[in-house]
Amino acid sequence: MFLTRFRVNTARPGARRLLSSPQVLHAAVMASFPGLLPSEMPAPDGPRVLWRLDQSARAEVLLYIVSPDRPDLTHLVEQAGWPAAATDPETPGWQTKPYAPFLDRLAAGQKWAFRLTANPVHYIRRKPDEPKKRTAHLNPVHQMAWLLDRQKDRGFRILEKPDSKRLLPGGTTYKKHEHFGDQYELTVRDKQGLSFDKSRSDDGTRKKPVTIVTVTFDGRLEVTDPAALRRTLTQGIGKAKAYGCGLITLAPLTGTE
C-alpha cells in the first residue's frame, strides 16, 4: 500500500477542469496506475484506490491517494502541477511513501487526529408500498450519527470531550431525535451538494447525472481494533468512494488540529 500527496496548481486551466467534476478527477486518478485496466473492479473486501481533496486555510488544494500500487502522477503534474519544477528527479511533483510501515505500527489504545470526507446516506421509503431509496443525510446531527454508528466495526472510537471543554453541561447523547450537543471530539463541515454527468453508456446515450452530498469530518479517535482500522484505512468508509469519499487519514495529536 502507498500514500500519495499531490499539490494542485489552481492557477492552471487543467486544474480547474479537474476540480470541477469528481468524475473527471476520478478518471485522472485511476489513470495513474499503468497496470490497472479501466474495466477492473476492486474486490469488495480488498484494498482499493481511494482519494480525497483537502483545501487548507492558505488556499492550498491537496490531493491524497491511498492505493495498492505506486502511482505515476506525471500527467497530473503536466495538467495541474508545476511541470518546470518537476524536471528535477528528486522532486517529480508529488510525494509517495509506503503505507504498510505506518499501518503495521497501529496499536490498541493509540489516539490520533483524523479527517474523513464522506457521503453519509440512509435508506427510506416515503410510502409503504414503494421500495427504499438511498437518501443523503442533510442535518449535521444525523451526519454525525452516521459516523458514530460505524465506528465500532471500523476499529476505532471517537473520543468524548472532557467536561471542561463542553459548552453544554454533561453533553448530550444521540437517541432518535435527541442531539449530540458537544459530547464528542468531532466536527462536521464543508457540506457540498455535487451533481455531475457520468460517462456515456455503451449505446452512446447520456446516463442520469450523479448527485451526492459530501461532508468533511475532523476529530480525534482511539484505536480499538488495529486490524479492523487497517482495513478501514485501505478500503474506505461509506458510499461514493470513486468520487473522493471514504478516505480517512490519521495524524499525530498536537493540540492544534
Side-chain angles (χ1 to χ4, degrees), residues 194-234:
L194 304 175
S195 181
F196 50 93
D197 291 333
K198 205 170 182 180
S199 56
R200 293 178 181 269
S201 59
D202 294 338
D203 60 4
T205 58
R206 294 176 66 91
K207 294 183 179 179
K208 185 178 179 181
V210 177
T211 301
I212 60 175
V213 174
T214 69
V215 295
T216 296
F217 298 95
D218 285 319
R220 300 184 177 195
L221 60 78
E222 178 180 352
V223 181
T224 57
D225 183 338
L229 183 55
R230 290 183 194 106
R231 289 193 297 271
T232 299
L233 294 173
T234 56

Side-chain angles (χ1 to χ4, degrees), residues 1-256:
M1 296 299 298
F2 295 89
L3 175 63
T4 299
R5 182 177 67 182
F6 171 77
R7 184 182 172 199
V8 180
N9 183 352
T10 56
R12 305 197 65 189
R16 294 194 288 271
R17 177 176 177 271
L18 288 171
L19 298 177
S20 67
S21 169
Q23 174 76 12
V24 173
L25 186 50
H26 167 69
V29 168
M30 299 308 289
S32 304
F33 303 95
L36 184 63
L37 297 176
S39 60
E40 288 182 344
M41 295 294 292
D45 57 350
R48 59 182 299 156
V49 177
L50 302 169
W51 62 271
R52 186 184 76 223
L53 282 174
D54 283 5
Q55 183 164 353
S56 72
R58 295 175 296 172
E60 285 185 339
V61 178
L62 300 173
L63 170 64
Y64 289 93
I65 303 172
V66 167
S67 56
D69 302 313
R70 183 183 291 272
D72 180 349
L73 304 188
T74 303
H75 62 300
L76 284 179
V77 174
E78 294 169 347
Q79 295 177 56
W82 286 265
T87 57
D88 182 353
E90 298 297 323
T91 57
W94 70 91
Q95 299 85 42
T96 296
K97 293 185 177 181
Y99 207 17
F102 173 78
L103 297 174
D104 292 341
R105 290 197 299 270
L106 292 174
Q110 291 176 345
K111 296 179 181 179
W112 298 90
F114 75 89
R115 176 168 294 172
L116 164 69
T117 294
N119 170 226
V121 297
H122 61 136
Y123 293 85
I124 62 171
R125 57 166 59 96
R126 302 185 186 279
K127 298 178 182 178
D129 58 344
E130 69 177 12
K132 286 186 177 182
K133 181 181 179 181
R134 189 164 74 194
T135 305
H137 283 302
L138 301 178
N139 186 300
V141 172
H142 297 148
Q143 293 163 347
M144 193 179 294
W146 175 89
L147 182 58
L148 291 167
D149 287 345
R150 284 156 179 76
Q151 60 182 336
K152 182 179 179 181
D153 293 339
R154 300 309 194 278
F156 64 90
R157 72 174 185 89
I158 297 172
L159 298 177
E160 296 190 22
K161 293 181 180 179
D163 289 339
S164 61
K165 292 179 62 177
R166 294 180 180 178
L167 299 178
L168 300 176
T172 52
T173 308
Y174 178 82
K175 288 183 179 179
K176 292 186 178 178
H177 301 295
E178 294 181 11
H179 285 207
F180 291 104
D182 57 347
Q183 181 178 356
Y184 293 94
E185 296 273 10
L186 181 64
T187 60
V188 184
R189 60 177 177 84
D190 295 346
K191 184 178 80 171
Q192 294 188 73
L194 304 175
S195 181
F196 50 93
D197 291 333
K198 205 170 182 180
S199 56
R200 293 178 181 269
S201 59
D202 294 338
D203 60 4
T205 58
R206 294 176 66 91
K207 294 183 179 179
K208 185 178 179 181
V210 177
T211 301
I212 60 175
V213 174
T214 69
V215 295
T216 296
F217 298 95
D218 285 319
R220 300 184 177 195
L221 60 78
E222 178 180 352
V223 181
T224 57
D225 183 338
L229 183 55
R230 290 183 194 106
R231 289 193 297 271
T232 299
L233 294 173
T234 56
Q235 296 176 17
I237 300 177
K239 302 294 185 181
K241 295 185 180 73
Y243 304 124
C245 296
L247 171 57
I248 181 170
T249 52
L250 307 182
L253 289 173
T254 63
T256 59

